[in-house]
Structure formats: C-alpha cells, structure tokens
C-alpha cells in the first residue's frame, strides 16, 4: 500500500466513523470487566469538545483529577465537571456538594446549559443505578431531554447527547431493559486478541434499526483510531492438509439413504393417510362398515416423522 492509498483508506474509515458516531439522544456505552469503556467515553468527550459543543460531566466513580487525565489544557478548559465522587452525600458539609444528591445533580445539570448542542457524560449510569430507583433515573433522563429541547427550541435528538457508561455485569435484565428502551444508540464493547470492537445499534425515528461493528483503538491522546477489522491472527484459517471428518461415520445407524431406499420411502403410503384409493373406496356404495375409521390428510405445515410419531408431545 502506497502512502497516498493509505491516506485515502484512513480518510474513508474516518468518514465512516464520523457518520456512525454522530451520536444524539441517550447513548449507552455497555462495557465489561474484559473491555472497559471509560477510554471510549473520554474519546467521545474530546470529539464533542473539539466540535464546539458544551460538555458537562457528572463524575461518580473516579476522582476529577483521574478523569481529566489525558485531556490537554484546551479540552479541560471546556469541560464543566460536577463532582459526586468526593462527597456524594455532603457528609463533610463543606458547601461544595451538589444539592439534592445524585438525583438532584442529574436534574439540575441541564438547567445550567445554554441553548445549542450539548453533550452530557455520566460516569457512570451503573453508579447511579445502584443508588437510585430505576424508575426515578429513567424519569430524570427523559426530563433532561425535554428541558433541553424547550431551551434550545429544537428536537432533543438533534440538540442533546447523553453518554452513559453502563457496566453490564452489575445489573439484571430489568434495569438494563428499561435503559435500553430509552436509548437511541447502544454501544456494546467487546473484542478479540487484544483488539477492541464496538457493536453499535442505532434506533432513529421513522427508520429501521441499524447494527454496525467497528474495530478501534484509543490512542494515548484520547483520539479514536478506526481499524479495518480484527487482527489477522485471530481469524480462523482452515488447514488444507487436515482431513475432513464425517461426524456420522461412527454411528450405529445409517443417516443416509440410497436412491432405491429413498424411492421406496417416497412411494410408501402410511395407514392413516387419505389416498386416492381410499377416497374411491368411500365413494363406492356398499354396506356400512361395522367399525369407524379415521383418515388424516396432512397439510403443508405438518412435520411427519414416521420414526418418531410422538415427537410433538415432548415426551
């Protein structure tokens, strides 16, 4: 690959990343123990700050110093930080704690923003879920979108982006499903062989949901570097010298039918099938039979298995 070709490929991947990561509304960043999501959260914060957006951060899990580490001074000067990590319940009574605790801080964040595009980062939704009722948290997130839409005079999906970091091992299906129903975008982090991936599910109004997978890495300056795919060593390559093993070769019964056996099976009429011969026999006048008989004509949705006639009974 020549330098010019590499540059064109990098530009194409960058444009693809920009289109996929044009995030608005509630965005769930679902990480795990193996694949942490705070680095991606900080990379998206940097992207929003460089785009001229207001960025408000509700810090819960790590200190403000640790969270701001990695941002240069120009980015840090644009971040409005709300610190819940130092004294979330105002036990120190220094006057620096946010009023109303975690829920009050979440409700007050959007009131302090100006009209225009805003990115709100919640580090993390898991911390809030473990301390607040799920219903109260969901109502606060919905109220935040409505408040900013009224202040900005435009649709909330175009004005506000809420980035919520969610540790998926910590929560059951109930809270996770409630947040997923509110989210416009879900980013599930994974990977293989040391290469991180993001499975992005986007739900847009009046459009079908789209699912896309991006392979990426976060650089030391918190920039996103989009990769073309998983590393080659992690992709399976079949060995042409390895003989193919027939899984049915050592069975005590035969799974394959010869041509003659298949023809005999197809020509066989089962006793309960309503054939043309039986139809003619019923139409011919004659003495009524002493016993009644039942004839069954299968339709297109029947799954008849002569070897297991009771298969539909699950016994």
């Amino acid at each position: 690959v020549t330098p010019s070709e590499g540059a064109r490929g990098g530009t194409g991947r960058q444009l693809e990343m920009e289109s996929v990561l044009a995030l608005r509304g509630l965005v769930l960043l679902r990480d795990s123990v193996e694949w942490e999501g705070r680095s991606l959260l900080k990379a998206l914060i940097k992207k929003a700050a460089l785009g001229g957006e207001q960025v408000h951060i509700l810090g819960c899990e790590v200190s403000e110093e640790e969270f701001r580490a990695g941002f240069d001074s120009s980015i840090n000067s644009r971040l409005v930080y709300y610190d819940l990590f130092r004294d979330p319940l105002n036990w120190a009574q220094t006057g620096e704690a946010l009023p109303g605790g975690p829920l009050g801080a979440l409700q007050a964040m959007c009131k302090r923003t100006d009209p225009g595009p805003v990115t709100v980062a919640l580090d993390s939704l898991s911390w809030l879920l473990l301390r607040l009722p799920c219903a109260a948290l969901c109502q606060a997130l919905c109220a935040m979108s409505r408040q900013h839409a009224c202040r900005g005079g435009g649709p909330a999906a175009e004005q506000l982006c809420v980035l919520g970091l969610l540790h998926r091992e910590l929560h059951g299906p109930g809270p996770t499903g409630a947040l997923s129903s509110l989210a416009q975008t879900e980013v599930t982090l994974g990977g293989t062989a040391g290469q991180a991936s993001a499975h992005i599910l986007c739900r847009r109004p009046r459009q079908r949901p789209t699912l896309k997978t991006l392979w990426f890495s976060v650089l030391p300056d918190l920039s996103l570097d989009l990769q073309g795919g998983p590393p080659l060593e992690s992709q399976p390559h079949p060995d042409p010298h390895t003989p193919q093993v027939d899984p049915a070769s050592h069975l005590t019964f035969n799974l394959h039918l010869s041509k003659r056996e298949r023809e005999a099976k197809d020509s066989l009429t089962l006793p309960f099938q309503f054939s043309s011969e039986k139809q003619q026999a019923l139409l011919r006048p004659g003495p009524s039979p002493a016993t009644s008989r039942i004839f069954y004509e299968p339709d297109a949705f029947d799954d008849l298995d002569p070897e297991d006639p009771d298969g539909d009974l699950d016994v």
Side-chain angles (χ1 to χ4, degrees):
V1 179
T2 64
S4 58
E5 291 174 346
R8 287 196 299 269
T11 303
R13 289 197 297 270
Q14 188 69 23
L15 292 175
E16 180 186 25
M17 180 177 66
E18 293 291 338
S19 63
V20 174
L21 295 180
L23 305 175
R24 297 286 93 183
L26 175 60
V27 181
L28 293 184
L29 302 178
R30 301 156 59 102
D31 69 353
S32 62
V33 175
E34 293 83 5
W35 301 96
E36 61 87 20
R38 186 166 288 112
S39 298
L40 178 60
L41 176 66
K42 295 172 69 171
L44 295 176
I45 289 173
K46 177 180 178 179
K47 174 178 174 291
L50 291 177
E53 296 188 23
Q54 305 174 64
V55 181
H56 295 253
I57 302 169
L58 185 62
C60 309
E61 287 189 344
V62 298
S63 65
E64 181 177 359
E65 293 75 15
E66 181 179 347
F67 191 90
R68 288 181 178 272
F71 295 119
D72 57 32
S73 58
S74 61
I75 298 296
N76 271 319
S77 62
R78 304 180 190 181
L79 306 183
V80 181
Y81 199 90
Y82 303 81
D83 191 359
L84 274 179
F85 176 80
R86 182 177 304 174
D87 189 12
L89 300 179
N90 195 23
W91 285 354
Q93 297 183 354
T94 58
E96 298 178 358
L98 299 175
L103 187 59
L106 191 61
Q107 294 171 340
M109 287 183 70
C110 197
K111 297 180 181 179
R112 305 179 186 180
T113 63
D114 298 325
V118 175
T119 293
V120 175
L122 306 177
D123 184 23
S124 68
L125 274 175
S126 291
W127 191 95
L128 296 171
L129 267 179
L130 295 176
R131 290 160 177 82
L132 298 174
C134 181
L137 178 59
C138 292
Q139 290 170 1
L141 293 174
C142 292
M144 180 184 295
S145 299
R146 290 195 298 267
Q147 290 171 4
H148 189 78
C150 295
R151 292 170 61 86
E158 297 178 2
Q159 296 291 322
L160 180 66
C161 175
V162 180
L163 301 173
L165 185 61
L166 187 70
H167 310 314
R168 59 179 184 262
E169 292 99 344
L170 299 183
H171 312 288
T176 303
L179 290 173
S180 297
S181 65
L182 297 178
Q184 283 73 43
T185 305
E186 294 185 60
V187 181
T188 303
L189 299 180
T192 180
Q195 180 66 56
S197 65
H199 302 278
I200 304 174
L201 175 62
C202 295
R203 305 183 186 93
R204 302 182 187 277
R206 298 179 296 277
Q207 296 182 16
R208 295 181 60 184
T210 60
L211 180 63
K212 193 173 184 62
T213 300
L214 295 180
W215 296 86
F216 71 96
S217 61
V218 179
L219 302 179
D221 64 347
L222 298 178
S223 299
L224 279 175
D225 180 24
L226 187 67
Q227 310 295 327
L232 296 177
E233 59 268 16
S234 67
Q235 299 179 359
H237 296 282
D239 187 357
H241 303 290
T242 303
Q244 298 296 324
V245 179
D246 185 4
S249 59
H250 299 291
L251 297 178
T252 57
F253 52 90
N254 186 18
L255 291 177
H256 308 287
L257 296 178
S258 63
K259 181 179 180 181
R260 185 174 180 179
E261 291 172 336
R262 186 173 298 279
E263 292 175 352
K265 179 182 177 181
D266 294 339
S267 62
L268 179 64
T269 302
L270 298 177
F272 54 82
Q273 286 185 324
F274 194 66
S275 62
S276 57
E277 292 80 4
K278 293 179 180 178
Q279 183 181 14
Q280 294 298 327
L282 290 177
L283 294 177
R284 287 195 299 266
S288 59
T291 59
S292 61
R293 293 179 294 173
I294 299 176
F295 296 101
Y296 173 73
E297 184 175 4
D299 55 27
F301 299 99
D302 285 334
D303 184 14
L304 299 178
D305 188 358
E307 299 179 0
D308 187 14
D310 297 331
D312 60 330
L313 301 179
D314 295 331
V315 295

